[in-house]
Amino acid sequence: MSEHHPAGDLRSSFHLQDCLQCSQCTERCPSARHGGVRPDEVVSAVLEDREPQGIWDCLLCHRCLEVCPSDIDIVMLMTHLRHRSALDGVAPDRFLRTGSILVKEGRGFPSNPRVQKQREELGLSPLVDSDRAMRELGKIISRTRFAYER
Ligand code: SF4
Ligand code: SF4
């Protein structure tokens, strides 16, 4: 496991020892249904100090959390695991690209004439850049050590 979030920390922070391995989380998981992440296996992997698979396929939809009889916050666990992976430089390119756009533009997608035109056609307000929002975003990035580059 990573130096950034040792497995022992995650096990106790998320009381993973309470997992019953009932697989209700995975049965309700839309990502697992399509061959993506299996939350019960992610919990097992952390408990056994193995590298969890599929964390970037999680949709952060909270369904697993709704059904877990042990109230294990799998969504926040996934978020921690992703953060750790990003710090280790193994985040998928598509996430890094979005992160890079976020840092530069203050939003998760680029503002260009095509986007502006489509927004206009949909009756949405034009995108505007905000110095204040960018300053606040800069603080969040620095405090969270947001990692978006290899
Ligand atoms: S939050 Fe992630 S792991 Fe949980 S049900 Fe949704 S996709 Fe699956
Ligand atoms: S629903 Fe909760 S207790 Fe059951 S396998 Fe998933 S994490 Fe473990």
Side-chain angles (χ1 to χ4, degrees), residues 3-125:
E3 61 180 287
H4 293 111
H5 286 284
D9 288 355
L10 292 175
R11 283 196 288 266
S12 56
S13 301
F14 291 94
H15 62 93
L16 300 186
Q17 287 88 346
D18 293 344
C19 175
L20 307 170
Q21 278 300 299
C22 64
S23 295
Q24 289 192 57
C25 50
T26 297
E27 281 166 23
R28 289 286 303 275
C29 173
S31 176
R33 201 173 302 147
H34 296 282
V37 68
R38 291 183 56 91
D40 58 345
E41 288 184 4
V42 169
V43 172
S44 295
V46 176
L47 280 169
E48 293 163 14
D49 208 4
R50 290 185 282 107
E51 203 55 48
Q53 302 298 309
I55 55 172
W56 295 95
D57 293 330
C58 173
L59 307 169
L60 307 179
C61 70
H62 288 71
R63 280 197 180 174
C64 49
L65 186 52
E66 285 169 7
V67 296
C68 178
S70 298
D71 285 330
I72 293 174
D73 191 343
I74 297 169
V75 180
M76 197 49 76
L77 174 65
M78 293 286 185
T79 306
H80 270 73
L81 290 168
R82 286 183 178 190
H83 183 61
R84 186 204 67 177
S85 279
L87 290 173
D88 288 343
V90 290
D93 283 344
R94 66 186 192 279
F95 283 87
L96 295 175
R97 271 197 302 277
T98 303
S100 177
I101 293 168
L102 178 70
V103 168
K104 284 190 198 114
E105 304 206 21
R107 57 179 77 89
F109 56 95
S111 167
N112 56 38
R114 183 181 62 80
V115 169
Q116 293 284 23
K117 183 164 178 297
Q118 286 180 333
R119 287 183 65 88
E120 192 181 328
E121 285 166 3
L122 291 168
L124 299 169
S125 57

